[in-house]
Amino acid sequence: MNVAPSSADTPRATAATAIILAAGEGTRMKSSHAKVVHQVLDRPMVRWVVDAVRAAGCGRILVVVGSHADEVRAALAQEPGVECVEQERRLGTGHAVRVAVEGAGVTEGPVLVVCGDTPLLRGETLAALVGAAATEPGGALLTMTYADPTGYGRVMVGADGHAARIVEQKDATPAEAACTTCNAGVYCFDAASLRAHIGELTQENAQHEFYLTDMVQLLARAGTPMRAIECPDADELMGVNSRSQLARATRAMQGRINAALMDAGVTMLDPSQVWVGPDVRVGRDTTLLPLTMLYGATTVGSDCVIGPNTRLTDTVVGDRSVLDETVAIGATVDDDVSCGPRAYLRPGAHLMDGSKAGTHVEIKNSTIGRGSKVPHLSYIGDTQMGEGVNIGAGSITCNYDGRDKHRTTIGDGVFVGSDTMMVAPVSIGDGATVGAGSVITRDVPAGALALERSEQRTVPGWLPRWKRDAQKGAPEA
Ligand code: UD1
Ligand code: CA
């Protein structure tokens, strides 16, 4: 009989627990906000790190919070399954890890420690570290070589590839400081040996902190050294401690995302002037022109031209649409649509196939039917517009009476003359025509002409009379 081994017989590989350190003050940022909530593209740094540990297959994800804890918790609110552990007193990276393993009861399996300020980390890199650590008694850590190692801990690596100890910049002798092998702050420990020795850390150093980096020497002395693994892409391990480094990290992430988009068939006139968030999708043969930002859950189809000077957030664009100098938030733009220059599409704006929102046009919570056009200087809000409608320049749906919002309905094939005010709630039937300059306060039936305009007065022969009066001069007082 062929019996599969029961789970009790097979040693089950425990998924690694991730600990993300995010409690520090971040003083070098000179900010009133937590360092790890500063954004790289449209995402707080700490969320990039959460994505990376999740991609590496970590089971539990613990984030150590402390300084500006509420802000960090809020930044993580949409991340499912992330547990925050409070480090009340910031006594150093070693203390932070101790608080996490003891506070969250981490007793077995691999423990992956990363910093919340290293947003460029890749999931594959972390997975490879966890894999390599599995065959080492003391686990493993990542190193990188920087020509200018200023600010990083220096890793003293023995001939056998094991790390002997890490010296922080502030504690380093000139000879140690000359070492260019830097500590990435990314470690994979075994939970049991980490817990066995973490209590031995002391604050005897320049910063009077419990350094996590000292675990390397403690484990080596205990006969269970950590392996140092050099990461080929040193940029990936860059820690962000200052605004300049934040800008560098943003540029690196932008380069990474834009290269992938170009590889997938997206054209960019100048990729250094296009910023695309990690969840955005862009179809083939779409061109992204300079000063364009695509953020949130934005999707753009094929053969579109987006930009210049365009920002789309949580917006869905179909195929062959042109969005020139457009700002769109929570909008839907179907196929063959033309927007801008200077269009503003607000939440709930839906431009159906072949429609147009032209120059200085704002549309909110409204559907613009197939082939309908709002070409110039208009506001359309809370409106259901049918197909083939033409809205003349300067027309406005007056949707707000100072207290409540009301809807406007415009049927198929309606022609609205320029400078028309449609005072909602109001409805204009299919095929109706509204004369220019009208203030429409009552429903217009299908096929009707509505005109609301005071009668024009014309005085023939006005000019010679006016000149004659002027020559006589003003009557003497
Ligand atoms: C740390 C490492 C250094 C490494 C560098 C990599 C130590 C002592 N030094 O230095 O060797 O080269 O990262 O980027 O570990 N944090 C807490 N609680 C604390 C202190 C810090 O959660 O009590 C968090 C911070 O929020 C930050 C991370 O730990 O996300 C690292 O702290 P930071 O002060 O940035 O350390 P570095 O000086 O960069
Ligand atoms: Ca740092």
Side-chain angles (χ1 to χ4, degrees), residues 44 102 110 177 202 206 222 238 249 285 289 417 429 431:
E102 291 176 359
T202 70
M238 189 189 134
D285 294 312
L289 293 172

Side-chain angles (χ1 to χ4, degrees), residues 278-299:
D279 296 334
V280 171
R281 284 178 296 150
V282 184
R284 274 181 179 220
D285 294 312
T286 282
T287 297
L288 303 179
L289 293 172
L291 298 178
T292 288
M293 295 175 178
L294 307 181
Y295 281 163
T298 290
T299 302

Side-chain angles (χ1 to χ4, degrees), residues 20-28 35-36 64-67 87 89-97 114-118 144 149 151-155 166-171 182-187 205 207 209-214 237-241:
I20 300 173
L21 304 183
E25 311 286 345
T27 29
R28 289 165 279 180
K35 172 166 76 174
V36 297
V64 182
V65 298
S67 175
Q87 183 193 17
R89 296 167 65 213
R90 262 73 70 198
L91 302 179
T93 48
H95 178 253
V97 169
V114 296
C115 295
D117 64 354
T118 48
M144 68 276 191
Y152 291 96
R154 313 297 205 278
V155 188
I166 298 176
V167 185
E168 288 303 292
Q169 162 113 11
K170 288 180 180 153
D171 302 287
C182 299
N183 172 31
V186 180
Y187 321 77
N205 51 56
Q207 300 183 79
E209 289 181 358
F210 294 98
Y211 288 168
L212 184 61
T213 45
D214 287 346
L237 303 171
M238 189 189 134
V240 173
N241 299 310

